Amino acid sequence: MCQTGCCCCVCVRTQSIGVIERFGKFSTLKGPGCSCVTWPCEQLVGTVSLRVQQLDVNCETKTKDNVFVNVVISVQYEAIAKAAYDAYYRLANPEVQIQAYVFDVVRSTLPRMDLDESFSSKDDLANSVKVHLDDTMSSYGYHIVRALVTDINPDARVKQSMNEINASRRLRESAKEKAEAEKITQVKAAEADAESKYLSGVGVARQRQAIVGGLQDSINEFAGEIAGTTPKDVMDLLLVTQYFDMLKDVGATNNNTLFLPHAPQSVADLQNSLKSGLMQNLQK
């Protein structure tokens, strides 16, 4: 402050408004820069900042499902230049006033929400705080720029239980998907096994059909070349030959043991059984 006679200069910083009083009574407002006042009649008693300020309010409340949570609301506010008189004189401490209104809004809104809903409705809660504060604080010369819900923090045991519920749900979904995959694998394996057995049966049927056809051709050719032979004689000879070939193959294997009745009457019984089966196929 520089004094010259009865006048002096006062300086107000940028983004501020100076409040001038004359003998303790409000006189005028001064904008940023240098201004002259009559001293000691007039004095610069204070300034009102026009910068955006932030107030973090920590509020504890209860949700609809009886879970206590700590909610942190960040309120960004600024003084209205045209209402600097109200901002300076009407409120002794605007931060305490804003904090009281935030408590009122939060504690009347969150008890109507479940815990999960409170997390998903953070924007609705923030808008409710902003609208209510803006309507109230505008009459005191303040404008609410924005309200942000920066944190919703339930008890540590509640958070742990929520994580366990989420983990259990994911494990259940994983088990369901795994069971579905195993089911598909078993179904495909059964379909492949059925197809394999079908193709194996087709191959065995074709093999037997080829054996019967070969025997027919051999019998017809043998009977045509050697006079006086009958199809029965040819069949007896072929059966005995195949019987001895079978014994030779079985004897050449070391891993298998096969017990067969080996006597002339046993060979005759085997011939009769095979002959009857083959003759029935030939007649067809």
Side-chain angles (χ1 to χ4, degrees):
M1 179 178 293
C2 178
Q3 181 176 355
T4 304
C6 293
C7 294
C8 65
C9 296
V10 295
C11 294
V12 180
R13 298 180 64 86
T14 304
Q15 286 295 315
S16 298
I17 293 180
V19 180
I20 307 297
E21 290 183 353
R22 179 186 292 269
F23 297 116
K25 181 181 179 181
F26 172 74
S27 174
T28 185
L29 299 173
K30 297 294 184 180
C34 182
S35 302
C36 293
V37 296
T38 303
W39 188 88
C41 301
E42 294 180 336
Q43 292 183 0
L44 177 66
V45 294
T47 58
V48 177
S49 176
L50 299 180
R51 296 179 180 179
V52 176
Q53 304 176 62
Q54 178 168 309
L55 174 64
D56 294 329
V57 181
N58 191 348
C59 177
E60 183 180 13
T61 185
K62 185 181 73 170
T63 60
K64 185 178 180 180
D65 47 355
N66 297 322
V67 178
F68 282 89
V69 294
N70 287 320
V71 183
V72 179
I73 307 289
S74 296
V75 180
Q76 299 173 353
Y77 65 98
E78 62 181 357
I80 303 173
K82 295 182 179 180
Y85 174 87
D86 295 330
Y88 185 80
Y89 284 103
R90 295 195 63 185
L91 287 180
N93 192 337
E95 294 183 354
V96 174
Q97 189 78 6
I98 292 174
Q99 185 177 11
Y101 282 113
V102 170
F103 282 167
D104 179 65
V105 174
V106 172
R107 289 175 177 170
S108 62
T109 304
L110 273 184
R112 298 196 297 267
M113 300 180 182
D114 294 332
L115 181 59
D116 293 337
E117 186 181 359
S118 65
F119 280 98
S120 60
S121 304
K122 290 171 60 177
D123 292 339
D124 296 338
L125 178 60
N127 290 332
S128 178
V129 171
K130 180 183 181 303
V131 171
H132 188 78
L133 278 177
D134 210 12
D135 292 342
T136 304
M137 297 301 293
S138 60
S139 61
Y140 297 105
Y142 286 94
H143 167 63
I144 305 302
V145 179
R146 194 170 184 184
L148 303 172
V149 180
T150 57
D151 190 19
I152 298 179
N153 189 20
D155 186 78
R157 291 172 297 178
V158 176
K159 290 192 290 186
Q160 182 179 359
S161 64
M162 292 175 65
N163 292 333
E164 290 177 355
I165 292 173
N166 193 18
S168 300
R169 183 172 64 251
R170 293 184 181 275
L171 288 175
R172 184 168 60 252
E173 292 176 356
S174 175
K176 183 179 178 181
E177 294 295 332
K178 183 179 180 181
E180 191 69 22
E182 291 179 354
K183 174 185 175 182
I184 294 174
T185 302
Q186 292 178 359
V187 169
K188 292 299 181 182
E191 291 178 354
D193 184 60
E195 185 69 18
S196 174
K197 289 180 179 179
Y198 170 75
L199 295 177
S200 176
V202 171
V204 170
R206 290 178 179 177
Q207 180 184 16
R208 291 176 180 176
Q209 185 177 4
I211 291 174
V212 172
L215 288 175
Q216 281 182 327
D217 294 339
S218 299
I219 292 172
N220 294 331
E221 184 178 355
F222 195 87
E225 293 181 357
I226 301 176
T229 59
T230 62
K232 178 181 180 303
D233 299 330
V234 178
M235 281 295 301
D236 292 341
L237 179 61
L238 289 175
L239 288 175
V240 172
T241 303
Q242 289 184 358
Y243 178 74
F244 284 112
D245 289 341
M246 181 270 296
L247 291 179
K248 179 181 177 182
D249 294 337
V250 170
T253 347
N254 296 325
N255 297 327
N256 296 325
T257 302
L258 183 63
F259 293 94
L260 292 173
H262 187 70
Q265 62 270 20
S266 301
V267 176
D269 294 338
L270 181 62
Q271 288 179 353
N272 292 331
S273 299
L274 294 174
K275 181 176 66 177
S276 61
L278 290 174
M279 292 305 295
Q280 289 177 2
N281 291 331
L282 291 174
Q283 290 174 2
K284 292 179 181 181

